[in-house]
Amino acid sequence: MLLKHSLKSTATAVRAWSVPLAARLHGHCSSREQRYVNVPWLATPSVKNNEALTSQPVRQYARAVQKKPEFQSQLQDLPPSMLKLEYASVPLAHTVDDVVRKLLSLELANHSERLRLKEEQLIAKVQRHENDRNTTEVKVAILTARIRNFQEHLQKHPKDKANKRWMLMSIDRRKKLLKYLRRSRYDAFEKVCAELGITYVFPPEYYRRATRRWLAKKALCIKVFKEVQKQKAEKRNKALAQKAARNTSSNPTETLGTPV
């Protein structure tokens, strides 16, 4: 019985949708067809002409994909023919054949080896002497190479929270070093910023995020402070008035003048 009822309802729906579209639009259909058309969930809007059909906005299913601007990597200026860091000072590495040289060069090097070479290049720009490895300028150069590496990684993987945390920690560390260098040796600070391409921005006076609760608390503290200052001023004026009255009562001749 249930199967018969479902088949009957399906046949009703098929007959309703088989009514000619033009007849349903203009209202010219038989009573039997009108009975199916008047079913609430099968009813179609009555349209006098085809203007309503043509005036509907066209859905744009195919949209142009907006590509993100490519991030310029700091390792782009390293040529593939450059030798690795541990083989650059070996004279024999410059006289080997092409296959061995390819193994010793950056053409088959991994990312960490390229990053080490970039760190050495930045260190050579700001170090005080050849064996300088522990000064503030060298630490700033190493942190700069690492920060740019983290930025390049986050452009490809923006949901990597661990790398973002390490990048922020490195930025804070470099900010403290630059602040110390600016306070102690300003000429070295200017050289480091110019050689490494760093734009030093002064930190804000207050780092706390201004929430509604914090603003209300701050307004209350300011109001209380002003009220306390007002009470202190009144108390101070009252004490001065009492002191003046006491001086007047103790020396009446000064107010009346000297006797003739």
Side-chain angles (χ1 to χ4, degrees):
M1 187 67 182
L2 182 61
L3 180 61
K4 184 177 180 182
H5 179 69
S6 61
L7 292 175
K8 185 176 179 181
S9 60
T10 305
T12 302
V14 171
R15 284 196 299 271
W17 286 107
S18 62
V19 178
L21 179 60
R24 280 187 288 170
L25 292 177
H26 297 282
H28 304 295
C29 55
S30 62
S31 59
R32 186 177 179 181
E33 294 169 348
Q34 187 68 30
R35 182 179 61 182
Y36 295 123
V37 173
N38 292 333
V39 179
W41 58 279
L42 292 176
T44 56
S46 59
V47 183
K48 295 182 180 180
N49 47 27
N50 295 334
E51 293 180 359
L53 295 177
T54 57
S55 62
Q56 293 181 359
V58 180
R59 297 180 181 178
Q60 299 178 357
Y61 290 102
R63 298 179 181 177
V65 179
Q66 298 180 356
K67 295 184 179 180
K68 296 182 179 180
E70 296 183 359
F71 187 80
Q72 298 294 332
S73 175
Q74 62 174 347
L75 306 178
Q76 290 181 352
D77 57 344
L78 298 178
S81 59
M82 183 182 295
L83 293 176
K84 296 180 183 179
L85 183 62
E86 56 269 20
Y87 303 113
S89 59
V90 180
L92 188 61
H94 299 274
T95 60
V96 295
D97 55 350
D98 296 340
V99 178
V100 179
R101 185 176 178 83
K102 185 180 295 186
L103 296 174
L104 303 181
S105 63
L106 296 180
E107 187 174 354
L108 300 177
N110 53 22
H111 185 76
S112 61
E113 293 174 345
R114 293 172 178 269
L115 185 61
R116 282 181 56 199
L117 188 57
K118 175 53 77 174
E119 288 180 2
E120 291 296 328
Q121 288 183 354
L122 296 182
I123 289 172
K125 292 181 179 180
V126 298
Q127 62 183 173
R128 300 181 186 178
H129 49 84
E130 186 178 357
N131 298 325
D132 182 16
R133 306 295 298 180
N134 200 28
T135 57
T136 307
E137 296 90 328
V138 174
K139 293 178 182 178
V140 169
I142 295 174
L143 288 174
T144 301
R146 293 179 182 177
I147 289 169
R148 291 172 181 172
N149 182 48
F150 289 140
Q151 290 175 348
E152 180 183 356
H153 178 80
L154 288 174
Q155 288 291 328
K156 300 178 182 178
H157 310 281
K159 295 185 178 181
D160 195 343
K161 304 300 182 182
N163 275 272
K164 185 176 181 180
R165 177 174 174 269
W166 294 336
M167 183 188 70
L168 295 177
M169 290 171 61
S170 301
I171 290 175
D172 291 340
R173 177 61 180 164
R174 187 181 68 173
K175 190 185 301 181
K176 292 179 181 179
L177 293 174
L178 287 174
K179 183 178 179 181
Y180 166 75
L181 191 63
R182 183 176 180 272
R183 186 174 62 250
S184 59
R185 301 176 65 246
Y186 190 79
D187 53 346
F189 166 78
E190 287 187 337
K191 179 184 177 183
V192 168
C193 292
E195 292 291 340
L196 301 181
I198 300 175
T199 303
Y200 184 78
V201 180
F202 290 97
E205 297 181 358
Y206 203 76
Y207 286 95
R208 185 167 183 174
R209 185 167 58 94
T211 59
R212 288 187 297 178
R213 179 178 179 181
W214 178 79
L215 291 174
K217 185 177 179 180
K218 184 178 179 181
L220 178 62
C221 292
I222 293 174
K223 187 177 179 180
V224 171
F225 175 76
K226 289 182 178 180
E227 189 66 25
V228 170
Q229 294 296 322
K230 184 179 179 181
Q231 292 178 2
K232 286 183 179 180
E234 292 178 356
K235 187 176 181 180
R236 193 182 308 111
N237 294 335
K238 186 177 180 180
L240 292 174
Q242 291 178 358
K243 185 177 179 180
R246 195 182 306 112
N247 293 336
T248 304
S249 61
S250 60
N251 298 324
T253 56
E254 293 182 0
T255 59
L256 299 176
T258 57
V260 180

